[in-house]
Amino acid sequence: MNAHLTDRGAVVTGWGTALPDRRITNADFEARLDTTDEWITERTGMKVRYHGGTTAGLAIDAGRRAMEMAGLTGTDIDYVLLCTTTPDWHVPASAARVQESLGITGGASDLNAACSGFVYGLVHAHALIGMGLRRILLIGSETLSRITDQEDRNTAILFADGAGAMVIEAVDGPGQLLSFDMGNDGTAIELLYCDIGDHLKMVGKEVFRRAVTVMVESARRSMEQAGVTADDLTLVVPHQANIRIIEAAASRLGLSMESVAVSIHRYGNTSSASIPLALVDAIDEGRVRAGDLVLLVGFGAGMSWASAVLRWPAMDGRTAS
Ligand code: UT7
């Protein structure tokens, strides 16, 4: 699965994030559920998360910021790919609202690969560019608070809302994506699922156990395909589900936590928004420069997983003809 599908690669040229207004602390859960700040912090690493808004609304805000940064308007975008496991409706795709609101003249669709969604979407975006599209708005946006039972201490503390977006543009030559890996094990569907109209159900311990394994294996496959080792990576951005999962996977991969992006204490688990939210924070903190190697690795319901190695591009605004 080498990523050099075509001579036409892609690079990221803009990014943005969005969070709803309602800030929820561990103390807020402590006040109404049988839980404590200490338990939540120790068992998950979470401190604060945000609830509210709609999936399309958050996606529009994050997408607009990414387009502004890239210096683009809606008519420049060939496709909006909205990664979400919490669409606003069954029909149509929530991306239709994003397309309309941002004045995008190209296609629009949703992609649901649960918490692996953003990395799946990144690969899809590169594939579409390889086939001739020029500019894609890739968004991970979620309103998980709407499908979480807020009375269930097992899940209420974990799942939250937010969005992160990236503009991906065609370039002549291989571009930023060095390798990728995507997979799914449908025998594990029952471990984490949500029926239509119901709340999320999760077998937390088993998801935890499998999460570490699939993250490590997927990351290794991507690193091997890219011909890089853990020491070569400047930044690793894992899905933010539990600090203990992140630490266990990092340790097995031989990664120092200094290279790992952690924003779980700020946003909780925002599924397909968690990787772009963590990546944008890391960029803002100056942790990645042109030429650096970046590993993204996600896992989630499905049970799905996906990883990708990127060579971080120079922001010189080049686009292919
Ligand atoms: O992004 C999608 C993928 N999702 C994940 O990756 C989540 C993976 N799983 C996890 O992160 C962890 O399994 C959890 C954070 C969900 C749970 O942590 P754990 O260390 O696996 O705890 P546990 O489920 O084994 O529960 C231990 C105890 C139980 O009590 P008993 O049976 O020992 O008396 C739970 O009822 O902790 C209890 N518990 C809580 N206690 C206080 C569960 N939730 C809470 C809570 N506050 N919020």
Side-chain angles (χ1 to χ4, degrees), residues 10 32 44 51 56 60 69 92 100 110 154 158 160 191 198 203 236 247 250 292 308:
R32 61 179 188 79
T44 72
H51 289 181
I60 290 162
M69 180 177 167
E100 175 263 336
D110 291 359
N154 291 291
L158 302 173
L191 295 180
D198 202 356
V203 186
V236 177
E247 286 170 351
D292 286 347

Side-chain angles (χ1 to χ4, degrees), residues 112-188:
N112 181 358
C115 307
S116 310
F118 192 81
V119 185
Y120 264 74
L122 186 79
V123 176
H124 282 65
H126 282 77
L128 288 169
I129 282 174
M131 293 170 74
L133 297 194
R134 285 165 56 87
R135 299 186 184 100
I136 299 197
L137 180 61
L138 172 68
I139 311 174
S141 182
E142 303 283 5
T143 45
L144 291 159
S145 67
R146 296 197 296 189
I147 61 161
T148 306
D149 180 355
Q150 296 300 330
E151 303 307 313
D152 174 15
R153 70 175 184 175
N154 291 291
T155 51
I157 58 156
L158 302 173
F159 297 109
D161 308 339
M166 301 218 148
V167 172
I168 313 277
E169 296 197 46
V171 287
D172 294 319
Q176 65 189 2
L177 187 67
L178 303 188
S179 65
F180 65 89
D181 176 69
M182 293 185 288
N184 194 79
D185 175 8
T187 66

Side-chain angles (χ1 to χ4, degrees), residues 34-36 39-40 43-44 115 153-154 157-159 192 202 204-205 207-208 211 239 241-242 244-245 269 271 299-301:
D34 181 15
T35 191
T36 59
W39 193 97
I40 299 170
R43 308 303 284 179
T44 72
C115 307
R153 70 175 184 175
N154 291 291
I157 58 156
L158 302 173
F159 297 109
L192 178 50
M202 181 172 72
K205 260 205 167 0
V207 173
F208 188 119
H239 170 47
N242 189 315
R244 293 182 293 134
I245 294 177
N269 182 346
S271 191
F299 66 90

